[in-house]
Amino acid sequence: MARVQIWDLPVRIFHWLLAAALVTAFTIALTVDDESATFAFHYLAGSVAGFLVLLRIVWGVVGSRWARFRDFTFGPSALAGYLRAALFGGDGARYVGHNPATSWAVIAMFALILSIVTTGLLMGSGGEAFEEIHEILAWTLAAVVGAHVAGVALHTVRHQENIGAAMVTGQREAEPTQAITSTRPLVGVALLAAVGAFAFGVSRGYDAAAGTVTLPLLGTFAVGEGGEGDEGGDHDGASDEGGDRDGASGEGDEDDDADEGADEH
Ligand code: HEM
Ligand code: HEM
C-alpha cells in the first residue's frame, strides 16, 4: 500500500463546488425573505448545483477510473455488508473508490438535486404543489447530506484515515496499480470555466422586474411569486425598480438586463 492518486481534479472541484452551492442555496432559503432581491442568489446557487450534477453525470461515463459509475458498488449484499461493518464493527471489505453507501448516497443526491431544481423552476408557473414538493425534497436532500457527512466522520475516526483530506488532495492509501494515471487538470480547468460561464449566464438572464430567470439552453422561467399573481407590484416592474435594483447592486448586471429587455422589443 502507498499513497496514490484516486480522485481526479474534476471530481474534487465538483465535490466542493456542489457542497458550496447547496450550503448557499439552503442558507439563503432559510434566512432570506423570498421576495427580497437577495433571494436571486438562491436561484443562482440552486441552478449551479443542478448544472454541476449534469456535468458530473457525463464525467461518470467518460471520466477517470474511480469517477465512473461503472466503478461504483451498488450490489444490495455489498451494501448490507458494508453497513453492518460500519455500524456494528468488524472487518468489512475496503473500497478504494466509492463504497456501497456512498454510491447509493451519490445517486440519491443527484436525483434529489435535479428534482429540486426542476420543481424550483416550475414553481413560478405551477403554484403551491411544486413549492411543497420543492421543500420536502430539499429536506430529504439535507438528510442524505447529513448522513453522508456523518459517515465520513465515522470512517475518519474508526479507520484513522482522513478521507475528507483525500477529497482535497485526491490521494488515499491503495495499491499502486489502483492509481489513476492523470488528475485530468485540463478537464478541471474546463469545468471551472463552464460553471463560471453558466453562473454568469444565469445572472445575466435574471430579470428582477419581470420576475423571470432565463437559463442557458433551457429557456425562461417565472420564479418566486411570479406566477401566483398576488403581488401586483412584482409584475408592473416600475414600482420595483428603485428598491430592488439598488438592493441587488452586488450583481452589477441589473442595468444590462434592462438594456437587453429593451433590445428584445
Ligand atoms: C453539502 C455538503 C456535501 C455534499 C453535497 C457532498 C456530496 C458528495 C458527493 C456527491 C460525493 C460523490 C463525489 C463524486 O463521485 O463526484 C461525495 C463524496 C465524498 N465526500 Fe462529500 N459532500 C458534502 C460534504 C462533505 C464534507 C464536509 C466532507 C468531509 C469533511 C466530504 C467528504 C467526502 C468524501 C471523503 C467523499 C468520498 C467518499 C467515498 O467515496 O467513500 N463531503 N460527497
Ligand atoms: C438544489 C438546489 C436547491 C435547494 C437545496 C433549494 C432549497 C430550498 C428550500 C429549503 C426552500 C424552503 C425555504 C422556506 O422554508 O421557506 C426553498 C424555497 C424556494 N426555492 Fe429553492 N432550492 C434549490 C433550488 C432552487 C431553484 C433552482 C429555484 C428556482 C429557480 C428555487 C426556487 C425557490 C423558491 C421560489 C422558493 C420559495 C418558496 C416559498 O415561497 O416559500 N430553488 N428552496
Side-chain angles (χ1 to χ4, degrees):
M1 298 269 265
R3 287 198 75 73
V4 300
Q5 197 72 32
I6 296 297
W7 305 121
D8 60 37
L9 196 57
V11 165
R12 289 175 276 150
I13 292 175
F14 160 81
H15 181 267
W16 296 113
L17 283 185
L18 182 72
L22 292 179
V23 168
T24 305
F26 254 100
T27 308
I28 294 174
L30 300 182
T31 58
V32 174
D33 180 356
D34 63 352
E35 281 171 48
S36 108
T38 315
F39 205 78
F41 290 100
H42 177 80
Y43 312 141
L44 181 61
S47 41
V48 164
F51 183 65
L52 283 165
V53 167
L54 292 180
L55 294 183
R56 179 64 183 86
I57 290 172
V58 174
W59 197 238
V61 179
V62 301
S64 64
R65 177 168 177 188
W66 304 107
R68 294 196 183 200
F69 296 129
R70 213 185 338 145
D71 261 298
F72 284 40
T73 306
F74 291 117
S77 60
L79 178 66
Y82 179 82
L83 288 178
R84 209 177 309 118
L87 296 175
F88 307 115
D91 286 336
R94 185 177 185 278
Y95 296 87
V96 173
H98 292 313
N99 64 56
T102 326
S103 300
W104 280 106
V106 170
I107 299 303
M109 284 192 253
F110 289 3
L112 284 164
I113 291 166
L114 294 180
S115 313
I116 293 167
V117 174
T118 307
T119 50
L121 291 172
L122 294 176
M123 209 187 284
S125 47
E128 296 283 309
F130 287 122
E131 192 178 318
E132 284 288 308
I133 300 170
H134 186 77
E135 286 187 28
I136 292 169
L137 294 177
W139 285 110
T140 310
L141 174 66
V144 176
V145 171
H148 163 58
V149 175
V152 171
L154 184 67
H155 180 106
T156 306
V157 173
R158 166 123 5 116
H159 299 282
Q160 295 292 304
E161 181 190 6
N162 191 346
I163 50 171
M167 249 309 150
V168 177
T169 63
Q171 296 175 354
R172 286 191 74 178
E173 291 284 321
E175 301 297 335
T177 52
Q178 292 172 314
I180 53 174
T181 48
S182 162
T183 57
R184 311 300 292 272
L186 288 182
V187 182
V189 173
L191 170 62
L192 281 176
V195 173
F198 179 84
F200 181 73
V202 173
S203 38
R204 278 188 69 91
Y206 177 64
D207 186 336
T212 59
V213 62
T214 303
L215 295 189
L217 302 179
L218 287 176
T220 301
F221 298 85
V223 287
E225 310 292 320
E228 290 171 20
D230 52 358
E231 295 287 330
D234 273 345
H235 297 288
D236 62 44
S239 62
D240 275 331
E241 301 275 297
D244 277 349
R245 289 187 168 239
D246 291 344
S249 59
E251 278 188 306
D253 49 11
E254 296 287 324
D255 292 339
D256 297 346
D257 288 355
D259 294 340
E260 273 173 18
D263 290 342
E264 277 164 24
H265 296 307

